[in-house]
Amino acid sequence: MVWAFFYFHAKNYMSITVGILIPRSDIFPTLPLHIVKGIKLAFENEGIDVQFVVSDIGKGVVQDLVMAKANELIMQDVDITIAYAGKKVLDGLKTLFKGAKKPLMLMGMGPNIIREEEYGEAPYIAGNSFDMWHTNYLLGEYAAKHIGKNGIASIGLFEGGYQFLPAFNEAAVNNGGAIVATHITKKLDEIDFTGDLNNTIGTTAADYLVEFYSGVDSQRFFDLCIASGISKGLPIITPSIGTEPFAGYDKRIVHGLSWQPFIKNPVNERMMTDFREKYGEECNAYIALAYETALWIIQGVKACAGKFNATTYCDAITAANFQSPRGEFIVNKELNTNAPFPTIIVDGEAVTSHSLSAELEKNLIELFSGRVQAGWFNPYPCA
């Protein structure tokens, strides 16, 4: 019985090397560490021996730096590389790894509607995303149907380049509403922030305030706008990546994402419990995305049955179907990406699930492809 155990362990759980290309963020300083921790926890939970090679690719997108770091990983002959990087470098990364016949897993929050660069290309390139533009469209639809027709948007300059707001507004307009005023700030700690937003709210008839901040900016927004009373008790709508400061908020807050910490499935509950016990902190969306991405990679590793083989791994990645923190993970085989998950919208005690139809998604992509806006090239919807 003992020998059988060791045979099974050796056959199915070989030692592999995984490279991670990860940026830094002033607005979300814990981002890189959380992503690395989420990836490592998934491999540990599956009993797979991994040597990680973590590469710092700096702030924002410095194309030469990212490509140099990626080349180093290839020269070190890592088995698999995970990249959390911006749109500007993705085509180059994909070309590099396809040429080297090395597996590359792209990972991101999916803030842009026009995002061909983020799609996978079988066999070597795959991509996992939270499809956050879906979430923002569905929040806009929900707002117009259940809260009110007119909204004010507050958004940071760095978040403003993503298609959060255009997706939200498109849905509001399609349902008889609109964003009637937009407040954009470069820095939330600037002295004129509160005055400008106060004036906007005071002179605009609106039913809600939608904000798109995250990381340290979420706390600043809450302190400067909500706790100070500038928001005048308006319902707050936000993606669920920056809701921590609102824990004690006694007014209406509506938030959504394709992952929520309270999702009742064994994989999510194990991730939440194990992360808390190992690191002494709670999971957030970035950790969940990293953990799920690693679980997808693990499907390919297990298929190799004892000796890593890139062809076997890639075939298994495209064919994968497994349970993740968000539920059943299905691969869009045409794009070699995750099939989108429903957005879970939380409105007080009410929790509802919402999805975009494939036809509507296609129509929105075509619509926005004809507009002069391509979104930021930065890798994070938070900096």
Side-chain angles (χ1 to χ4, degrees):
M1 195 69 178
V2 174
W3 285 105
F5 169 80
F6 279 107
Y7 174 78
F8 176 81
H9 187 276
K11 182 178 180 180
N12 293 287
Y13 299 94
M14 80 292 283
S15 178
I16 61 169
T17 54
V18 174
I20 303 175
L21 297 168
I22 189 74
R24 283 173 282 132
S25 167
D26 289 337
I27 294 175
F28 212 126
T30 60
L31 173 76
L33 189 56
H34 279 168
I35 287 176
V36 171
K37 286 179 176 179
I39 292 169
K40 287 184 175 180
L41 181 64
F43 280 101
E44 289 173 9
N45 280 353
E46 294 297 320
I48 297 176
D49 181 24
V50 181
Q51 178 185 347
F52 292 99
V53 183
V54 181
S55 293
D56 175 2
I57 58 174
K59 298 177 184 178
V61 175
V62 181
Q63 190 161 1
D64 289 346
L65 174 62
V66 177
M67 297 305 294
K69 294 287 189 178
N71 267 302
E72 287 176 3
L73 293 176
I74 288 175
M75 287 188 289
Q76 292 181 62
D77 198 27
V78 300
D79 295 309
I80 304 154
T81 297
I82 303 170
Y84 192 97
K87 289 177 62 177
K88 189 175 182 179
V89 300
L90 294 186
D91 283 339
L93 284 175
K94 289 159 75 170
T95 299
L96 177 66
F97 279 84
K98 284 188 293 183
K101 297 184 178 180
K102 285 286 191 178
L104 173 66
M105 177 66 74
L106 305 175
M107 180 174 66
M109 299 301 281
N112 291 311
I113 298 172
I114 309 164
R115 60 185 193 93
E116 293 90 344
E117 301 91 340
E118 300 172 24
Y119 295 143
E121 293 181 25
Y124 293 106
I125 316 299
N128 188 28
S129 166
F130 265 16
D131 296 293
M132 277 194 66
W133 76 265
H134 279 215
T135 287
N136 285 289
Y137 185 91
L138 293 164
L139 283 170
E141 180 181 75
Y142 186 92
K145 289 181 176 180
H146 302 286
I147 301 176
K149 298 303 182 184
N150 297 328
I152 296 171
S154 182
I155 189 166
L157 176 64
F158 294 112
E159 287 90 349
Y162 298 109
Q163 289 155 2
F164 292 163
L165 182 55
F168 185 100
N169 187 61
E170 191 72 25
V173 170
N174 288 346
N175 289 276
I179 295 296
V180 293
T182 302
H183 174 263
I184 298 178
T185 181
K186 184 176 180 180
K187 290 185 178 180
L188 278 173
D189 53 1
E190 287 183 347
I191 194 167
D192 61 352
F193 168 78
T194 51
D196 288 346
L197 185 56
N198 189 41
N199 289 337
T200 301
I201 294 174
T203 59
T204 307
D207 301 303
Y208 60 84
L209 174 63
V210 57
E211 59 95 359
F212 299 97
Y213 299 105
S214 64
V216 297
D217 277 355
S218 294
Q219 187 65 59
R220 291 172 182 162
F221 178 81
F222 183 84
D223 293 341
L224 293 172
C225 178
I226 311 300
S228 69
I230 286 176
S231 62
K232 296 180 170 57
L234 285 172
I236 305 297
I237 306 174
T238 182
S240 303
I241 58 171
T243 56
E244 291 85 354
F246 294 83
Y249 187 51
D250 61 357
K251 306 295 182 182
R252 188 177 186 184
I253 176 169
V254 177
H255 61 94
L257 197 65
S258 58
W259 172 83
Q260 296 288 354
F262 54 76
I263 292 175
K264 296 294 184 184
N265 73 52
V267 179
N268 192 55
E269 291 173 335
R270 182 184 183 189
M271 176 190 71
M272 296 289 294
T273 299
D274 290 353
F275 194 88
R276 185 185 305 115
E277 291 179 353
K278 184 174 181 64
Y279 296 111
E281 54 184 320
E282 297 298 325
C283 278
N284 58 35
Y286 298 93
I287 295 165
L289 175 66
Y291 188 92
E292 178 182 81
T293 302
L295 288 181
W296 189 10
I297 291 171
I298 288 165
Q299 309 309 304
V301 172
K302 287 182 175 180
C304 294
K307 182 176 177 58
F308 186 80
N309 177 278
T311 300
T312 302
Y313 165 87
C314 290
D315 289 345
I317 286 295
T318 302
N321 180 263
F322 61 97
Q323 292 301 312
S324 84
R326 291 190 281 177
E328 184 182 11
F329 189 102
I330 300 171
V331 178
N332 178 330
K333 292 180 174 57
E334 179 182 356
L335 301 175
N336 219 26
T337 62
N338 62 291
F341 287 82
T343 285
I344 302 169
I345 293 180
V346 181
D347 183 357
E349 297 297 319
V351 177
T352 50
S353 179
H354 306 260
S355 299
L356 285 185
S357 68
E359 182 180 4
L360 178 56
E361 180 186 42
K362 179 182 177 182
N363 290 341
L364 288 169
I365 291 172
E366 290 177 354
L367 173 66
F368 277 81
S369 295
R371 296 182 180 178
V372 185
Q373 60 179 22
W376 288 125
F377 291 137
N378 288 343
Y380 11 70
C382 63

